[in-house]
Amino acid sequence: MSLLSLSYEALKERKLRTTLTILMVIMGGSLLVAVNGISTGALTYIDEQFAALGANLLAVTPRGEDVEIDDRFVSDIARWDGVMDVVPFIQQIVTITSHGESQSVVVVGLDQSKLNLIFPTLSLEEGTLVSSSDKMGILLGNQIVYSSKRATPFTGLGQIVKLTYVRTVEGRQVYYEKSFSVRGILKYLGSGFIPVDQTAFISLSAAKSFFNRRGGYDGVYVITEDPSLNEEIRDRLRELYNVNVLSPKSIADVIMRISSAVSLFVDNIAAVSLLVASVGIITTLWTSMMERIREIGILKAIGFSNEKILRLFLNEAIIIGLMGGTLGLFTGIGLAYVMKSFFRGEFAHITPIFTIPSLFGTWVLCVVLSMVSGFYPAWRASRLDPVASLRHE
């Protein structure tokens, strides 16, 4: 403790130099904490987004105009081993109007009794689902009704909304309109793969009639019996039909790998700032050693061993690491939330997440790197000749 006290007093005598060195450690540690917090939060957010979709889900759409997804296609796929269900859908971008306000949304027609096979966590804010025989009902995504850009709800349960879309027929644009009654409003889901919160759902029969689709569908959702069968069924679909097959799970895995690689790259950049701080520690302690050569000679003359001199200077590096690392943790947490404030859109929902192992690991790294950086100047100080040191001017 006496040696630690002496080391602390030596640092206090050189306040400016010590403060700048500690500041370098704080900057490196805080950057590492902030990047780790944002990365962990982003990965967790991505995982939550894709968790809203069934892990055993495949989205199948035609690759070219020569491929038609119809009832025969649906029944053929439904008979495959490993396929639990096939849900055909029709989708169209439309303009929805209520009380004189309009917005562009995607309308999807499908059997709503099977929505939970596609979105296991989906639930109703209010109202009910639209039955397969209901050609006038519509189910609205949460953000269609409760957008953050709007002070009041866009519409409400039981109210009438008008859907409008344009189609080119024989070289001229034809407008199609139809009124629907709001049967239900969904809770916020937040799925990024399929924007459920900005989607309106109607029955499959209503979609066929309104969008003038006789027998074809825009695609199907294939529900497998187990996620482990996804790749096998996906490969079979691509082999037999000219279709695109997307698996939310495989997309999530790819995004996770890319995000992890980016996080590792940014972490390495943050670690470089700590290496720069270590150079500052070496410079500070080396300069301190050169200024205190005569003092070292006096300490050795009164009985200080080489080991105690080594510990005296090494303690200075440890103090710098302890103070810089500790303050760096708190600064890094604040920096992460400052970085979050610049996120917009869907990314605004990302919240930094800090784990105890990550914070402790960063703190230990700051302290250990400081000790390693301070070892050489401390070792050189301990090896100074006491007689030569006393004669030093």
Side-chain angles (χ1 to χ4, degrees):
M1 291 301 297
S2 298
L3 284 174
L4 198 62
S5 177
L6 283 172
S7 300
Y8 180 70
E9 290 299 324
L11 290 174
K12 282 178 64 179
E13 289 176 6
R14 300 158 182 83
K15 288 187 177 66
L16 181 60
R17 189 190 306 157
T18 302
T19 301
L20 292 175
T21 307
I22 291 173
L23 188 60
M24 293 175 72
V25 179
I26 291 173
M27 290 174 64
S30 63
L31 186 58
L32 204 55
V33 169
V35 168
N36 279 331
I38 290 290
S39 300
T40 305
L43 292 174
T44 302
Y45 175 75
I46 292 169
D47 192 47
E48 288 173 351
Q49 295 300 291
F50 282 93
L53 298 168
N56 57 337
L57 175 70
L58 296 173
V60 182
T61 55
R63 184 173 292 173
E65 295 182 358
D66 58 324
V67 179
E68 185 176 10
I69 296 180
D70 52 18
D71 290 324
R72 182 178 176 181
F73 178 93
V74 173
S75 60
D76 285 347
I77 304 302
R79 287 195 293 267
W80 287 7
D81 291 336
V83 174
M84 184 170 65
D85 208 339
V86 180
V87 183
F89 65 87
I90 295 171
Q91 64 182 18
Q92 176 79 37
I93 297 176
V94 306
T95 299
I96 183 170
T97 305
S98 174
H99 302 299
E101 287 190 72
S102 299
Q103 58 178 303
S104 181
V105 299
V106 176
V107 172
V108 177
L110 47 66
D111 184 352
Q112 294 185 21
S113 65
K114 298 180 180 180
L115 268 176
N116 281 108
L117 294 176
I118 306 167
F119 310 104
T121 59
L122 192 70
S123 59
L124 286 161
E125 180 85 26
E126 54 182 329
T128 61
L129 299 177
V130 178
S131 68
S132 57
S133 60
D134 187 351
K135 293 188 177 183
M136 296 296 296
I138 189 168
L139 177 68
L140 299 179
N142 190 272
Q143 290 193 334
I144 295 176
V145 181
Y146 305 111
S147 172
S148 58
K149 299 177 182 178
R150 191 179 293 106
T152 58
F154 177 73
T155 187
L157 196 66
Q159 295 188 19
I160 302 299
V161 296
K162 184 175 69 175
L163 303 187
T164 308
Y165 72 97
V166 183
R167 177 177 293 169
T168 303
V169 179
E170 296 179 354
R172 61 189 182 91
Q173 290 188 330
V174 180
Y175 286 83
Y176 294 86
E177 295 181 353
K178 186 175 180 180
S179 295
F180 289 83
S181 176
V182 179
R183 302 278 193 251
I185 300 170
L186 294 168
K187 285 185 177 179
Y188 180 80
L189 187 67
S191 170
F193 179 65
I194 301 176
V196 183
D197 301 307
Q198 295 87 30
T199 302
F201 297 92
I202 59 177
S203 66
L204 194 58
S205 57
K208 283 183 178 181
S209 173
F210 182 40
F211 300 131
N212 197 24
R213 309 289 178 85
R214 290 180 173 83
Y217 304 109
D218 290 320
V220 296
Y221 294 117
V222 178
I223 317 299
T224 62
E225 293 178 354
D226 190 88
S228 62
L229 300 172
N230 281 15
E231 288 191 16
E232 179 186 339
I233 294 173
R234 180 197 63 192
D235 294 341
R236 188 176 176 187
L237 281 164
R238 288 175 176 171
E239 182 182 347
L240 297 177
Y241 304 99
N242 186 26
V243 292
N244 297 309
V245 185
L246 295 177
S247 169
K249 184 178 182 301
S250 62
I251 293 174
D253 290 342
V254 171
I255 292 175
M256 287 292 215
R257 286 198 295 270
I258 294 172
S259 299
S260 297
V262 171
S263 297
L264 181 62
F265 175 72
V266 178
D267 281 348
N268 288 336
I269 294 175
V272 169
S273 63
L274 274 177
L275 291 176
V276 174
S278 70
V279 174
I281 294 171
I282 294 173
T283 304
T284 297
L285 295 186
W286 183 266
T287 306
S288 176
M289 185 264 293
M290 295 299 293
E291 291 174 347
R292 296 159 64 191
I293 291 177
R294 187 174 177 82
E295 178 188 331
I296 293 168
I298 293 171
L299 290 174
K300 286 194 171 186
I302 62 175
F304 269 62
S305 64
N306 287 350
E307 180 191 352
K308 285 185 179 179
I309 298 295
L310 176 71
R311 287 165 56 191
L312 183 67
F313 278 83
L314 203 56
N315 282 344
E316 294 184 23
I318 293 173
I319 291 170
I320 291 172
L322 287 171
M323 294 180 69
T326 303
L327 293 173
L329 296 186
F330 294 104
T331 308
I333 292 172
L335 179 61
Y337 281 96
V338 171
M339 292 167 64
K340 176 190 180 301
S341 67
F342 291 101
F343 293 166
R344 295 290 181 269
E346 281 293 319
F347 295 106
H349 297 287
I350 294 176
T351 302
I353 296 176
F354 305 97
T355 61
I356 298 299
S358 175
L359 292 174
F360 182 72
T362 302
W363 183 81
V364 168
L365 180 63
C366 291
V367 176
V368 170
L369 202 57
S370 298
M371 288 177 61
V372 172
S373 302
F375 182 80
Y376 180 70
W379 178 79
R380 283 299 303 271
S382 69
R383 294 296 170 180
L384 289 175
D385 180 76
V387 175
S389 299
L390 285 169
R391 290 175 179 174
H392 183 79
E393 294 295 335

